[in-house]
Amino acid sequence: MRMKSPTALIPGLYLTLFFAYLFGPLIIMVITAFNSSTFPRVSPWECFTTDWFGKLASDDKLLSGLGNSLLIGVGVVCVAIPIGLAAAITLSQVGPKLRAALYTIFIAPILVPGVVIGLSTLIFWDRIGTLFNAPYESFFYDGTFLTIFGQVTFIAAYSMLVFLSRIQRFDTTLTEAALDMGATPTQAFVKVLLPFMAPAIGSATVLAFLASLENYNTTVFTIVSSSTFTTVLSSKVRYGLDPSISAVAVIIIAITLIGAIIYECRNRYYTKGWAHVIAERPALKIATHPGTVAVILGVLTLAAVLFIQNHDSSVCTAQVLEEKRALQQQLMEQQSINTPQQAVPAPTMPNLGPLGGDEGGASAPSPFGNNIFSPENLGTSAREGN
Amino acid sequence: MTKEISLEHVWVEFGEFTAVHKANLNIAGGEFFSFLGPSGCGKTTLLRCISGFQEPTRGKVKIGGQDMRGVGPNKRPTALIFQNLALFPLRSVADNIAFPLEVRGVDKKTRRKRADELLELIALPGQGDKKVSELSGGQKQRVAIARALAVEPDILLLDEPLSALDLKLRQHMRTELRAIQKQVGLTFIYITHDQGEALTMSDRIAVMNKGKIEQIGDGKAIYDHPTTSFVASFVGENNVLDGTVLSNDGKVMKIDAGLGTPFTVENHPAGGPALAPGDACHLFVRPEALRLSKDDGAINQFETNFITEEFEGNMRHIVMNASGTDLKLSLINDGTNAIDANTPVKLDFAPEMGIALKPGELASA
Ligand SMILES: Nc1ncnc2c1ncn2[C@@H]1O[C@H](COP(=O)(O)OP(=O)(O)O)[C@@H](O)[C@H]1O
Ligand SMILES: [Mg+2]
């Protein structure tokens, strides 16, 4: 047997690193969602818990933000898709010179930084509102409305790109044929062009919705006093993070995975080769049907939800809490014996981790294992600095 | 019902470019009328004027005596069969055929019934549920015709519908198209750059060149009595000799073509421009009109040398040279037409087979 040459291992190594880089953070995030530690982390592992999902479900701020995000997403899709489609149709029908100019104009919002779009949307509608002497409750100052308009400016351009690549393959004589057969222009559009564009409309809708949902830098300006999923998340990151964020990630990852699995099953199910395989195997035909797969995944999801609702980890968490208390007790006793002068700052600055701010009571452990931010170390470093 | 069409001084200009140059003609109801011309001569543009996709810059298109200016393609009693057929790829065969009925609000059951009838007519019974992509070229062709017939048009317009098919199928479809036209009794306006198609199917043909209609007539008139040099050289094979008119008494013409004794020519179109003594002219003699002289001193005789021969089985296509001009000669392979490649050969042609025309543009081979 011959040894594999070292160069042959490089692609494998590269792939491993690539996937580790890609999926590593996701996997760690998923794990942290089930650790009872109040800061999202994998080690030290405290208890397996599903409480963070419960915490998430009762987080009104996040839920109302999510509601706003979904509403804005739907609004953006409803406005951006028709605009993008109209732009693509226009581009496909004008002469080459005008097309180049129009294309640049249509595409410009993608090149403008989102922050600029957000700010300018805010200022623009504020000016218009002032012009009409509109009251502050009017839609000119409404976060949802402004965010939809701000996001549409560039998401419409995204969807136009999707439509453009499809419409370039459209045979315009088909529209002429429809007209010649007696169809009105509207009928020709609905019965010939739209069915042709349907796949692109589907993917543009998904793209637009996701782009809207995850947008932050435009939204943070246009949302004004309201909030969306992303703005709530970002304020959470700023003012104290707990694993319910990881729970959100788990849910998003699960939805994405389920969607991707069903989509992939559907693609494979309708290939010629597979149609051949299942032609004489009715059981296999039913088993691999994307509908069946969807039902199975649905049942699994339901089971997971039930499990999350009913899992009780209070015994374990109580025990961990007890251990910590004991440890702390012991530490304090040691401190008062060994270095009484260093224990002085401790009462004025109780265990305040920088990220565990609002709920970091006495029992909240510091997020970092080596305790660099613990009061003792702070004290010493401050003294050393002096 | 059928309707006559008249084009009155129709011009189509794209900026500086004139695509159709003063087209003037009448097409009778129920006629099979062809436009024949080389690619780019404005045939499609003219057809689009009739179907309503192109408004003439000047002039009128009348259908059934009614001026069509401002009437959209969906309001005209015409149906167009596109050069690329333009079948709807996402619809089944039956849904394609029933499309004209669908947009007119006909209910589903009636639509399906009519589609099945038309499938019967085009000899594709029971194929309505197939996808368009599952059909062969000839079948697609017939589906396009059925879809156009479902419009129940007064006039069917066909834009080179057979050009994408292979030779065998093309010849088969010619007969079939003609049969369908006879059966449904509609006016067919047919566009082609293939003279064989035009000659075999049409009642009348308009030969076009560079946007101009050069001659209108039935196949025999176009082939036997062309009125311009372009028509004479574009329709069928032709030999052309440059000559000078010596005399013209209105019936018999004497022409010096620099090949010995002047030729006597009796075929020159009555309606064509008159040639006076001293005028330069083109003398056309078709390859099948040239023959090997049986005896010396025959009328229109001249001497040639053998160049090459192409053997086609029933016919022999021979190239001869007469003082610097190559002449094509088609002979029936009946064993009587031996040619000695090394000695001069005498050829002649009947006076009524020589065509004398004013010099003009020749079709490039
Ligand atoms: N929309 C247009 N704009 C400019 N030129 C055109 C247009 N349509 C056709 N032409 C020109 O008119 C001429 C005739 O075209 P067409 O009618 O399609 O020829 P044919 O069908 O006989 O091959 C061509 O030279 C073509 O380039
Ligand atoms: Mg054409």
Side-chain angles (χ1 to χ4, degrees):
Chain A
M1 219 183 90
R2 248 183 50 199
M3 272 283 289
K4 263 194 174 175
S5 79
T7 49
L9 294 175
I10 289 176
L13 189 70
Y14 172 77
L15 270 183
T16 315
L17 282 176
F18 179 76
F19 283 115
Y21 174 72
L22 208 62
F23 295 119
L26 296 183
I27 292 169
I28 288 178
M29 187 128 191
V30 169
I31 295 173
T32 60
F34 297 97
N35 188 357
S36 66
S37 159
T38 47
F39 185 79
R41 60 180 166 190
V42 176
S43 76
W45 182 261
E46 294 182 1
C47 290
F48 177 85
T49 180
T50 55
D51 291 351
W52 300 119
F53 290 90
K55 180 135 191 275
L56 180 67
S58 56
D59 187 337
D60 289 337
K61 232 178 155 184
L62 195 68
L63 288 183
S64 84
L66 186 64
N68 280 342
S69 281
L70 295 179
L71 181 70
I72 288 167
V74 171
V76 165
V77 165
C78 290
V79 184
I81 296 297
I83 291 179
L85 187 58
I89 292 173
T90 309
L91 284 180
S92 72
Q93 287 179 352
V94 297
K97 266 190 197 151
L98 188 56
R99 185 182 314 148
L102 279 181
Y103 183 80
T104 316
I105 294 171
F106 290 157
I107 220 72
I110 293 183
L111 306 176
V112 175
V115 179
V116 176
I117 290 180
L119 264 176
S120 52
T121 304
L122 197 63
I123 294 168
F124 177 73
W125 289 103
D126 171 66
R127 289 293 92 197
I128 290 192
T130 318
L131 201 69
F132 289 111
N133 263 328
Y136 187 69
E137 299 76 42
S138 67
F139 67 89
F140 295 109
Y141 306 100
D142 180 62
T144 308
F145 168 81
L146 290 179
T147 306
I148 290 177
F149 265 62
Q151 291 185 353
V152 159
T153 50
F154 59 93
I155 292 179
Y158 285 145
S159 45
M160 182 198 75
L161 288 180
V162 176
F163 292 134
L164 215 50
S165 68
R166 177 96 183 145
I167 211 166
Q168 272 162 356
R169 277 177 287 145
F170 182 68
D171 176 6
T172 47
T173 58
L174 292 181
T175 300
E176 288 194 344
L179 290 176
D180 189 66
M181 303 289 134
T184 61
T186 316
Q187 281 175 322
F189 175 73
V190 172
K191 287 178 186 290
V192 179
L193 185 60
L194 267 193
F196 177 82
M197 295 304 289
I201 292 174
S203 39
T205 301
V206 173
L207 245 161
F209 188 75
L210 292 182
S212 163
L213 213 59
E214 60 125 44
N215 182 266
Y216 177 73
N217 37 7
T218 299
T219 310
V220 75
F221 291 101
T222 53
I223 198 66
V224 200
S225 57
S226 181
S227 64
T228 68
F229 189 59
T230 49
T231 59
V232 173
L233 277 190
S234 88
S235 65
K236 265 183 182 295
V237 170
R238 234 175 293 161
Y239 300 117
L241 207 52
D242 72 38
S244 58
I245 296 270
S246 305
V248 172
V250 169
I251 292 170
I252 292 176
I253 291 171
I255 291 173
T256 313
L257 267 182
I258 290 172
I261 289 172
I262 293 176
Y263 181 77
E264 192 57 30
C265 280
R266 196 182 146 273
N267 276 357
R268 294 194 182 199
Y269 186 77
Y270 290 112
T271 53
K272 275 236 166 71
W274 192 246
H276 206 71
V277 171
I278 57 176
E280 275 138 34
R281 298 182 179 85
L284 195 61
K285 184 171 179 175
I286 294 170
T288 57
H289 190 276
T292 322
V293 176
V295 169
I296 293 172
L297 289 174
V299 169
L300 285 178
T301 312
L302 201 66
V305 169
L306 285 177
F307 171 76
I308 285 168
Q309 277 180 350
N310 297 322
H311 182 78
D312 187 3
S313 59
S314 54
V315 180
C316 175
T317 40
Q319 194 184 333
V320 168
L321 206 63
E322 194 48 52
E323 278 172 17
K324 274 191 205 159
R325 202 165 283 156
L327 189 68
Q328 202 157 26
Q329 195 79 38
Q330 197 187 337
L331 274 174
M332 273 160 74
E333 279 165 15
Q334 251 173 20
Q335 270 176 356
S336 53
I337 297 165
N338 296 345
T339 49
Q341 71 273 37
Q342 280 206 349
V344 176
T348 52
M349 284 179 77
N351 279 356
L352 243 185
L355 293 160
D358 51 1
E359 56 225 313
S363 68
S366 160
F368 303 102
N370 60 1
N371 262 4
I372 50 164
F373 289 116
S374 75
E376 299 94 313
N377 292 347
L378 254 185
T380 46
S381 66
R383 226 160 276 159
E384 275 159 17
N386 290 342
Chain B
M1 213 186 73
T2 60
K3 282 184 180 159
E4 78 281 2
I5 298 165
S6 51
L7 305 181
E8 296 177 2
H9 302 284
V10 169
W11 293 72
V12 179
E13 282 145 345
F14 298 114
E16 295 283 288
F17 180 77
T18 306
V20 175
H21 189 102
K22 201 171 135 186
N24 224 348
L25 59 89
N26 287 297
I27 300 169
E31 196 174 3
F32 197 123
F33 191 95
S34 293
F35 286 97
L36 172 64
S39 172
C41 72
K43 307 180 297 288
T44 299
T45 307
L46 200 49
L47 203 67
R48 290 171 69 85
C49 286
I50 299 172
S51 59
F53 289 113
Q54 177 78 50
E55 284 287 3
T57 327
R58 276 177 275 166
K60 277 182 191 159
V61 174
K62 286 185 176 172
I63 299 178
Q66 204 186 340
D67 190 353
M68 284 289 129
R69 188 167 285 278
V71 180
N74 52 346
K75 303 263 166 55
R76 296 195 185 192
T78 58
L80 175 59
I81 293 177
F82 287 78
Q83 202 156 357
N84 66 355
L85 302 184
L87 293 175
F88 305 124
L90 300 176
R91 294 170 159 257
S92 70
V93 169
D95 283 349
N96 259 283
I97 295 176
F99 184 83
L101 305 173
E102 190 181 326
V103 297
R104 285 171 176 77
V106 175
D107 69 274
K108 205 164 180 177
K109 232 174 102 195
T110 322
R111 277 191 336 236
R112 185 65 208 220
K113 196 163 146 275
R114 181 77 185 121
D116 286 340
E117 283 168 20
L118 284 163
L119 281 167
E120 203 79 43
L121 176 77
I122 57 164
L124 287 174
Q127 313 239 28
D129 292 322
K130 277 197 177 169
K131 280 188 203 160
V132 171
S133 56
E134 289 168 352
L135 299 180
S136 73
Q139 291 173 328
K140 281 184 194 161
Q141 190 66 64
R142 283 181 275 177
V143 171
I145 292 167
R147 185 180 66 174
L149 292 176
V151 179
E152 300 196 353
D154 297 322
I155 301 142
L156 195 63
L157 309 169
L158 304 99
D159 189 354
E160 310 211 18
L162 306 185
S163 56
L165 306 182
D166 60 57
L167 182 69
K168 264 267 167 57
L169 200 53
R170 206 151 65 213
Q171 284 171 344
H172 172 74
M173 285 302 296
R174 279 183 197 172
T175 0
E176 205 153 307
L177 267 180
R178 185 69 193 179
I180 290 176
Q181 194 254 343
K182 285 258 154 61
Q183 197 176 339
V184 297
L186 293 180
T187 311
F188 271 43
I189 299 183
Y190 190 92
I191 278 187
T192 180
H193 65 267
D194 180 334
Q195 37 159 317
E197 275 176 21
L199 292 173
T200 48
M201 292 193 285
S202 322
D203 293 321
R204 282 195 305 154
I205 300 167
V207 183
M208 287 183 74
N209 182 34
K210 296 193 175 154
K212 277 198 182 110
I213 295 179
E214 298 247 339
Q215 185 176 0
I216 301 172
D218 61 23
K220 195 159 165 48
I222 299 269
Y223 191 84
D224 288 344
H225 308 288
T227 55
T228 68
S229 288
F230 178 82
V231 177
S233 54
F234 183 72
V235 184
E237 293 262 8
N238 230 332
N239 293 305
V240 55
L241 294 164
D242 289 319
T244 316
V245 180
L246 297 178
S247 72
N248 183 0
D249 68 358
K251 189 172 181 310
V252 180
M253 224 190 262
K254 290 271 182 209
I255 291 169
D256 176 22
L259 296 174
T261 24
F263 292 131
T264 307
V265 171
E266 289 179 13
N267 185 351
H268 44 93
L275 289 165
D279 284 355
C281 75
H282 275 152
L283 173 59
F284 291 93
V285 185
R286 296 218 179 257
E288 66 272 18
L290 283 175
R291 57 201 180 195
L292 301 176
S293 286
K294 295 280 182 295
D295 40 33
D296 270 358
I299 195 165
N300 294 340
Q301 194 174 55
F302 57 102
E303 206 161 84
T304 58
N305 294 306
F306 177 84
I307 305 281
T308 117
E309 167 167 349
E310 214 176 82
F311 182 70
E312 203 198 85
N314 60 336
M315 296 296 284
R316 297 160 61 200
H317 301 287
I318 299 159
V319 179
M320 306 294 282
N321 188 287
S323 13
T325 312
D326 277 354
L327 296 172
K328 283 173 262 175
L329 174 62
S330 298
L331 297 174
I332 293 182
N333 184 22
D334 61 357
T336 64
N337 298 315
I339 291 180
D340 183 353
N342 299 315
T343 54
V345 178
K346 286 203 166 94
L347 302 180
D348 67 65
F349 61 92
E352 62 274 16
M353 297 309 282
I355 309 160
L357 295 170
K358 257 200 166 145
E361 190 195 339
L362 299 172
S364 46

